[in-house]
Amino acid sequence: HVKAVHHEIKPFACGLVGCGMRFAYKHVRDKHEKSGCHIYATGDFIETDKQFRLRPRGGRKRKCPTVEMLI
């Protein structure tokens, strides 16, 4: 903790070309390398992004029970 936080020693570098990010912990570097942040795809994703943003979030909203529901 002291080396990583207070001395800011980051000996573990990302192994992918052109990234240059460094990490204090090996498991954090491994998680970074396995994440999707280095995946590049060509194409026009405007319509897909629009559909993703318009998708409703969260679950079904609960309604307060009425007297008729309880009977």
Side-chain angles (χ1 to χ4, degrees):
H1 166 79
V2 174
K3 290 180 183 179
V5 177
H6 301 290
H7 297 297
E8 297 181 7
I9 297 173
K10 298 180 178 182
F12 302 102
C14 179
L16 297 167
V17 179
C19 181
M21 289 188 70
R22 300 186 68 81
F23 303 93
Y25 300 103
K26 184 179 178 184
H27 71 277
V28 177
R29 185 219 35 211
D30 294 342
K31 185 176 179 182
H32 164 80
E33 288 178 348
K34 291 177 185 175
S35 70
C37 65
H38 290 296
I39 297 173
Y40 299 101
T42 58
D44 187 12
F45 298 106
I46 295 172
E47 186 64 30
T48 306
D49 289 343
K50 184 178 177 183
Q51 290 174 358
F52 179 76
R53 287 191 189 101
L54 293 177
R55 192 175 59 192
R57 302 279 186 228
R60 189 174 57 160
K61 303 292 185 224
R62 294 185 182 187
K63 295 181 181 178
C64 291
T66 61
V67 175
E68 290 79 20
M69 292 173 138
L70 297 174
I71 297 177

